[in-house]
Amino acid sequence: MADKTIKELADELGISKSKVNYQVSKLNTELITILDGVKYLNYQAQEEVRRSLGVQSNAKSNTFSNDFEQQFEHRLKPFEKQLEIKDKQIDTLQKLLDQQQQLTLQSNKRIEQLEAQLQLGSQSPEEKQPSAEEPKTDPDSITDKKWWHFLRRDS
């Protein structure tokens, strides 16, 4: 077992740091290592603190933590299933979005082609020829219909 700080041991035992520190002050200094002002407790020191505080040894606390982990994992399973389902839905939606974008791109290209054909078709010489239905007008026979032109012709 690795050496632990007073805070780590207090968190593990679920008690205040000051209680653990008080118990550590009663211990033999050979069981404590001080590095950079931080006290590290070896396994024997940790067990003595547990014994003096009336806390069960590590084996029983491991049983508690294992039970807690099992309950936690049991509660997480439905959420993990939901996440898997959501991931599949996201993948499906991504594929559908890609397909929609491809179809839109193809549609836009087709529209551009049709517009280009329409523009080319309206500029063809066959359509510029007057049809039989349209009356032919001679530019010399066109008279201006504006009223002031009538006054000029009379004078």
Side-chain angles (χ1 to χ4, degrees):
M1 175 176 265
D3 292 350
K4 293 184 180 180
T5 63
I6 293 174
K7 180 167 179 17
E8 290 172 343
L9 186 60
D11 290 343
E12 180 183 315
L13 298 175
I15 57 176
S16 70
K17 183 179 159 186
S18 60
K19 283 185 179 182
V20 174
N21 196 25
Y22 176 73
Q23 295 301 322
V24 169
S25 66
K26 295 179 183 179
L27 294 177
N28 188 351
T29 56
E30 294 173 358
L31 303 175
I32 302 168
T33 306
I34 300 176
L35 294 173
D36 296 330
V38 179
K39 294 180 182 179
Y40 291 93
L41 309 174
N42 65 14
Y43 179 74
Q44 187 179 358
Q46 293 173 35
E47 287 300 315
E48 285 188 31
V49 169
R50 283 188 183 94
R51 196 174 328 110
S52 63
L53 290 171
V55 178
Q56 297 294 329
S57 74
N58 215 10
K60 291 196 177 186
S61 65
N62 280 344
T63 304
F64 172 75
S65 64
N66 287 340
D67 290 342
F68 180 75
E69 286 177 14
Q70 288 175 354
Q71 289 177 355
F72 187 73
E73 288 175 10
H74 178 69
R75 289 183 180 179
L76 282 181
K77 284 182 183 180
F79 295 116
E80 289 173 351
K81 289 178 184 177
Q82 274 185 341
L83 281 175
E84 288 175 14
I85 292 170
K86 297 298 179 190
D87 287 342
K88 288 178 184 177
Q89 289 175 345
I90 289 171
D91 289 341
T92 303
L93 289 174
Q94 187 66 37
K95 288 177 185 176
L96 290 172
L97 181 63
D98 288 342
Q99 289 175 353
Q100 179 63 35
Q101 289 174 343
Q102 290 174 359
L103 287 173
T104 303
L105 182 64
Q106 289 174 354
S107 298
N108 288 342
K109 285 182 181 178
R110 182 69 180 150
I111 289 170
E112 288 175 3
Q113 288 175 351
L114 291 173
E115 286 176 347
Q117 287 177 357
L118 184 63
Q119 287 177 355
L120 288 175
S122 66
Q123 294 175 358
S124 68
E126 295 140 2
E127 288 187 9
K128 289 195 175 187
Q129 302 258 340
S131 65
E133 297 172 4
E134 293 179 12
K136 294 184 180 179
T137 56
D138 186 18
D140 296 334
S141 66
I142 296 177
T143 58
D144 290 333
K145 302 284 182 173
K146 296 178 184 164
W147 62 273
W148 60 83
H149 293 286
F150 292 116
L151 293 175
R152 278 194 213 156
R153 289 183 192 174
D154 289 338
S155 40

